Amino acid sequence: MPTATKSSRINISEEDKTKSIAEIFSNNIKVGNVIFFKGELGVGKTTFIKYLINFLQRKNKQSVTEIPSPTFNLVYEYQLDSLVIKHYDLYRVKDEKELITLGIFEDNSDQITLIEWPEIIKNYKTNNIIDLNFEYDEEYNKRFLTISSNNKISFLDEFE
């Protein structure tokens, strides 16, 4: 069984730091990765995703577009030439059965899958999950990010 690999707790209180971490992340994730975004409302998950997708758009020589939160649509899909990115927001989903109609359990080996509020998912069958845990400090003045995975992720060393 793979051992968990974890980055140190990264202070992302400044939006520029969130942006730079998203850029490093965009240069290192691969097709087939499933990224879980966990954390309270307003802690920076969607902002990170916006920068991440915009960097991937630039990297694939695509126009940078607005990246809205799929809170009401539940999923947005971005086609960047041969790269497909699916961005799910499961905040409003109350029952795991609702996920079946979203296609979230279909084969994701040919895309990058971004999932906000993944806590409702009980049995996601892939070894390519990367957890991004966003949290506030006790006074809600600062924000932090911890990145972890059950697989060795070489670029995590860049954050320590």
Side-chain angles (χ1 to χ4, degrees):
M1 173 169 242
T3 57
T5 303
K6 220 173 215 192
S7 72
S8 52
R9 195 169 178 234
I10 305 162
N11 186 331
I12 57 166
S13 300
E14 301 295 324
E15 191 167 339
D16 284 348
K17 184 68 172 186
T18 301
K19 186 176 181 179
S20 67
I21 299 297
E23 182 175 21
I24 293 168
F25 200 75
S26 74
N27 288 323
N28 289 281
I29 59 173
K30 298 179 178 94
V31 171
N33 284 146
V34 176
I35 300 120
F36 284 174
F37 293 81
K38 299 175 182 176
E40 297 178 51
L41 282 171
V43 76
K45 298 180 301 292
T46 304
T47 299
F48 187 97
I49 289 169
K50 173 186 79 167
Y51 287 125
L52 174 64
I53 293 173
N54 285 162
F55 282 120
L56 290 169
Q57 288 171 325
R58 282 188 197 100
K59 185 175 172 183
N60 287 279
K61 297 177 177 37
Q62 301 287 311
S63 297
V64 172
T65 62
E66 181 181 343
I67 307 298
S69 173
T71 301
F72 296 104
N73 292 346
L74 301 181
V75 64
Y76 283 126
E77 183 173 315
Y78 301 89
Q79 183 76 44
L80 311 179
D81 288 332
S82 63
L83 175 62
V84 174
I85 302 169
K86 287 193 179 174
H87 175 199
Y88 296 89
D89 185 325
L90 306 181
Y91 182 72
R92 295 185 316 118
V93 176
K94 301 298 176 217
D95 187 327
E96 190 177 22
K97 292 176 188 170
E98 294 177 56
L99 301 176
I100 294 168
T101 59
L102 290 176
I104 203 165
F105 296 114
E106 294 174 5
D107 180 18
N108 60 19
S109 61
D110 61 346
Q111 66 190 33
I112 294 173
T113 306
L114 312 175
I115 304 174
E116 292 186 70
W117 304 99
E119 292 81 0
I120 193 166
I121 301 172
K122 303 294 184 248
N123 296 309
Y124 203 91
K125 299 194 182 347
T126 184
N127 291 326
N128 295 323
I129 296 173
I130 302 171
D131 284 308
L132 274 66
N133 295 294
F134 294 78
E135 62 185 334
Y136 290 107
D137 68 353
E138 291 175 7
E139 289 83 37
Y140 290 88
N141 295 329
K142 295 182 181 177
R143 300 170 192 203
F144 295 92
L145 170 62
T146 305
I147 304 169
S148 62
S149 175
N150 283 338
N151 296 313
K152 175 68 176 150
I153 303 172
S154 60
F155 71 90
L156 288 182
D157 299 338
E158 294 182 45
F159 302 119
E160 294 185 10

